[in-house]
Amino acid sequence: MIMKQITLLQPQKIVFGTGCIQTLVEDYKKLGYQRLFVLTAPPILPLIEPTLAALKAAGTNIEVFDQIMAEPTLNDFNAIVEKARQFDADSVVGIGGGSVLDVAKLVAAFVHSDQQAADCFGIGFIKAKGLWFACLPTTAGTGSEVSPNAILLDERDHLKKGIVSPYLIADAAYVDPKLTWTVPAKVTADTGMDALTHCIEAYTNKFAHPTVDIYALKGIQLIAANLETAVKDGKNQEAREALALGSLYGGLCLGPVNTAAVHALSYPLGGEFHIPHGLSNAILLPSVMKFNAEACPKRYAEVAAALLSSTSGSSGDTNDIRLAQQGVDFIYRLAEAVGIPKKLTDLGIPQSAVDGMAKAAMEVQRLLKNNPREVTEQDAKDIYNSLY
């Protein structure tokens, strides 16, 4: 088969390793910027105080904004970007989970732009590169530090929407697993399942490609083998590093291939019911895998082999359909082991909401077009209803 064309866009610099936040300080001092707008969250501040102190000692004027909500809205973003304008930022750093990083990317893009974020939902609508910016993830995670995507909740439609642009690729990403050591078990579980979903959806995607498959499969192996350990022992450095690397690999899949039906169906859960993004994906993942497997059994069998590769449950089964089902079963077991609820009612979502969520999910064609099996509105209803 002739390989189709693919474009890989990644940060000019990616630094990975425990303690690499110090590299940010040395790199930033060489750039010559003077007014740094830092976006983070209150639990992160104690972890980054030495870094901020070192930057200030080097003469950097720093403004810290630490009040980003878990699911930032369009209005939230507009207020934050105005603060960056008032500060007259010449550079931006995001240090936090996916929401923090997404807002940092958008602040850098829009702070001196004549465009509005509300006009740029979709792919390729940002007209020009904005300020220099760097991303440091504190979860493993969304992969936002290396992706061209940013998500906001559009209050007008009660739906999470994506802005996708090569101008949202960070100039530098510093993936320091030490920043994840204090992440609570529940957040570790939710974000780890999100990263696993990125890898699985990239590998089974209609637009999957060998240049991305290698990231996706390795990410699946790393996360499947280490997520439960990291949830139970957050200070386990080996597990934290493996998760951070798996999340990074998942993030590298997002630009060239992106996600599919799991993410599309998860958006209404976040938009209407404010369920965290990772948890929304986690509860939907096995049901969507089951729905999709018949469309590409060989791919799902290979996913299953990667999931099972580090466990005593490794299978010698050569039947793709049976092996694919073993992969679905593994995800069910892993989700239960790390505390993911099984039913949408456990999240406070009534079954009466299914029709509305299915209709909203159909609006996310940006992702549904990637799915290996067509998803109709009735299919979406069936998948949601299977979780009651």
Side-chain angles (χ1 to χ4, degrees):
M1 183 182 294
I2 296 174
M3 288 188 197
K4 55 184 176 286
Q5 179 177 311
I6 193 168
T7 299
L8 304 178
L9 298 172
Q10 299 174 3
Q12 185 176 12
K13 184 167 193 170
I14 301 174
V15 183
F16 180 94
T18 298
C20 75
I21 191 172
Q22 289 305 117
T23 307
L24 165 67
V25 177
E26 299 308 313
D27 289 349
Y28 188 84
K29 288 192 293 189
K30 297 172 185 174
L31 293 171
Y33 297 117
Q34 296 295 319
R35 303 187 66 79
L36 176 62
F37 193 69
V38 175
L39 296 110
T40 189
I44 309 302
L45 283 172
L47 305 179
I48 64 174
E49 280 177 356
T51 302
L52 298 180
L55 288 167
K56 288 175 181 176
T60 307
N61 192 342
I62 297 177
E63 176 84 4
V64 176
F65 184 87
D66 68 352
Q67 299 302 311
I68 295 175
M69 306 300 290
E71 303 287 333
T73 67
L74 186 58
N75 285 339
D76 292 334
F77 169 72
N78 289 334
I80 295 166
V81 78
E82 188 55 39
K83 289 183 182 294
R85 290 183 183 124
Q86 291 169 4
F87 175 65
D88 194 25
D90 63 6
S91 48
V92 176
V93 167
I95 310 176
S99 295
V100 170
L101 301 187
D102 284 2
V103 171
K105 293 155 74 167
L106 293 171
V107 166
F110 289 102
V111 65
H112 296 314
S113 172
D114 59 1
Q115 291 185 282
Q116 298 294 317
D119 299 326
C120 294
F121 288 121
I123 301 173
F125 294 112
I126 298 178
K127 293 190 295 190
K129 171 107 170 67
L131 300 182
W132 179 94
F133 74 98
C135 289
L136 290 84
T138 60
T139 62
T142 66
S144 179
E145 68 274 9
V146 292
S147 87
N149 309 344
I151 307 297
L152 290 174
L153 173 59
D154 188 346
E155 308 96 321
R156 300 169 300 182
D157 300 327
H158 302 287
L159 188 63
K160 291 167 67 174
K161 297 180 181 179
I163 298 176
V164 183
S165 168
Y167 299 126
L168 295 182
I169 296 282
D171 294 281
Y174 300 85
V175 183
D176 185 345
K178 190 172 183 178
L179 293 175
T180 70
W181 288 3
T182 57
V183 173
K186 183 183 183 308
V187 178
T188 299
D190 291 352
T191 56
M193 292 297 290
D194 185 23
L196 184 58
T197 304
H198 294 157
C199 295
I200 292 173
E201 290 209 285
Y203 192 76
T204 57
N205 198 298
K206 193 184 293 183
F207 300 98
H209 194 279
T211 58
V212 176
D213 288 348
I214 192 167
Y215 294 138
L217 282 179
K218 189 61 181 177
I220 291 168
Q221 291 173 346
L222 287 166
I223 298 165
N226 291 280
L227 180 57
E228 188 175 353
T229 300
V231 168
K232 292 179 177 176
D233 178 12
K235 293 293 197 294
N236 185 309
Q237 184 172 337
E238 184 177 346
R240 286 296 196 185
E241 289 180 341
L243 277 192
L245 186 56
S247 174
L248 174 64
Y249 286 151
L252 291 171
C253 297
L254 292 176
V257 173
N258 215 343
T259 55
V262 176
H263 277 69
L265 293 173
S266 79
Y267 280 6
L269 276 66
E272 185 172 352
F273 296 98
H274 307 289
I275 307 302
H277 175 69
L279 177 57
S280 299
N281 285 332
I283 200 167
L284 285 161
L285 176 60
S287 297
V288 175
M289 288 175 67
K290 198 171 184 178
F291 172 82
N292 281 339
E294 68 180 55
C296 51
K298 186 174 189 301
R299 281 263 151 176
Y300 273 96
E302 290 162 353
V303 164
L307 289 167
L308 295 164
S309 64
S310 61
T311 73
S312 58
S314 298
S315 173
D317 202 325
T318 57
N319 179 282
D320 287 343
I321 293 292
R322 287 197 300 266
L323 186 51
Q325 182 57 48
Q326 289 180 41
V328 174
D329 294 342
F330 179 95
I331 295 295
Y332 277 122
R333 290 195 302 272
L334 178 62
E336 183 175 14
V338 300
I340 302 298
K342 295 181 180 179
K343 303 292 183 183
L344 291 177
T345 44
D346 296 334
L347 304 181
I349 301 176
Q351 196 161 6
S352 59
V354 163
D355 288 359
M357 291 194 302
K359 185 173 182 178
M362 289 300 100
E363 298 297 313
V364 195
Q365 291 299 319
R366 173 178 71 86
L367 300 181
L368 287 176
K369 68 178 175 56
N370 302 333
N371 205 61
R373 181 179 173 187
E374 182 186 1
V375 180
T376 66
E377 190 169 330
Q378 184 59 50
D379 292 329
K381 291 178 185 179
D382 292 343
I383 292 169
Y384 287 135
N385 280 321
S386 73
L387 293 166
Y388 286 94

